[in-house]
Amino acid sequence: LVSSVSPHPQQSAKSPCHLIFNRSKLHLKMVLFCICPEQETVEFVESCGKFDKVAYPGFNCIIPCMGQVSAGSLSLRVQQLDVRCETKTKDNVFVTLVVSVQYQVQKENVYDAFYKLTDSRQQISSYIFDVVRATVPKMNLDDVFVEKEEIAKDIKDELTKSMSTYGYLIIHALVNDIEPANKVKEAM
């Protein structure tokens, strides 16, 4: 079995290379495609619909005629999600909290992050709404302002506990702004 990598004479430098296998009189041509994930990004290679491997930054080959395809990519960079959540306080005042969460995929759990969860941003938002709507209605408006660090801590703890199952690391959770309803602002 002799193999050699040789570009087709009429192909440009950006085209995939052909891998030619010579075995007696039988000539098979396999086309290799190259994928090059960017820094701090990984791509997932599937073979006939089943997970095959993780392609890390740099040069990676896939063989489409053998059923390999790139199923998608995932960023390993720190990402931020800002969520506006409206709820009512114990003293019947509607407030909107602006919560920012910084999160990142754990490098050792990229498989879980890609295959176990379809929409991480929506899942994180749901947990934020859940914590805010469970915590703030037990407080008066003035206490919400005083306890905003405690609310942020509760959000981070809940997200850390729930999102680690999916391969995500919660770095920070911050309550950036607390906006009472307009009528309350005018009365202040």
Side-chain angles (χ1 to χ4, degrees):
L1 184 66
V2 177
S3 68
S4 65
V5 178
S6 61
H8 191 273
Q10 296 177 348
Q11 287 182 321
S12 69
K14 293 183 180 179
S15 298
C17 297
H18 291 280
L19 186 63
I20 303 171
F21 291 95
N22 295 326
R23 187 172 193 170
S24 64
K25 294 183 181 181
L26 180 64
H27 295 282
L28 297 173
K29 285 190 175 184
M30 278 192 193
V31 178
L32 288 177
F33 284 104
C34 304
I35 55 174
C36 298
E38 295 177 358
Q39 191 64 33
E40 294 299 316
T41 303
V42 293
E43 292 215 21
F44 295 85
V45 178
E46 292 180 349
S47 184
C48 298
K50 183 180 177 196
F51 172 75
D52 189 15
K53 65 181 179 179
V54 176
Y56 291 95
F59 182 81
N60 297 272
C61 292
I62 58 174
I63 308 169
C65 60
M66 299 293 285
Q68 285 187 329
V69 295
S70 174
S73 63
L74 192 62
S75 175
L76 301 178
R77 294 182 177 118
V78 174
Q79 300 176 59
Q80 181 165 315
L81 176 63
D82 297 321
V83 177
R84 295 178 64 80
C85 183
E86 185 180 45
T87 189
K88 191 164 87 169
T89 62
K90 187 177 181 180
D91 49 354
N92 292 323
V93 176
F94 282 95
V95 294
T96 302
L97 276 75
V98 179
V99 178
S100 296
V101 174
Q102 295 173 344
Y103 64 97
Q104 182 178 33
V105 173
Q106 296 173 339
K107 290 182 182 181
E108 59 276 359
N109 294 325
V110 292
Y111 178 89
D112 292 340
F114 188 77
Y115 286 104
K116 284 188 175 181
L117 194 59
T118 303
D119 188 353
S120 60
R121 297 174 73 81
Q122 184 61 44
Q123 190 69 34
I124 291 170
S125 294
S126 296
Y127 283 118
I128 291 170
F129 279 110
D130 186 48
V131 172
V132 168
R133 290 183 176 158
T135 307
V136 173
K138 297 175 186 174
M139 302 177 173
N140 290 321
L141 179 60
D142 292 339
D143 295 336
V144 173
F145 284 98
V146 172
E147 298 292 328
K148 78 179 200 174
E149 285 83 16
E150 189 63 33
I151 297 168
K153 182 184 176 303
D154 291 346
I155 292 169
K156 183 180 179 189
D157 291 346
E158 179 63 30
L159 284 174
T160 299
K161 184 172 61 173
S162 57
M163 294 303 289
S164 64
T165 308
Y166 303 111
Y168 285 87
L169 173 67
I170 305 302
I171 298 166
H172 294 291
L174 305 166
V175 177
N176 288 335
D177 196 13
I178 301 169
E179 301 170 0
N182 286 335
K183 289 181 182 181
V184 176
K185 283 184 187 177
E186 292 168 6
M188 292 176 130

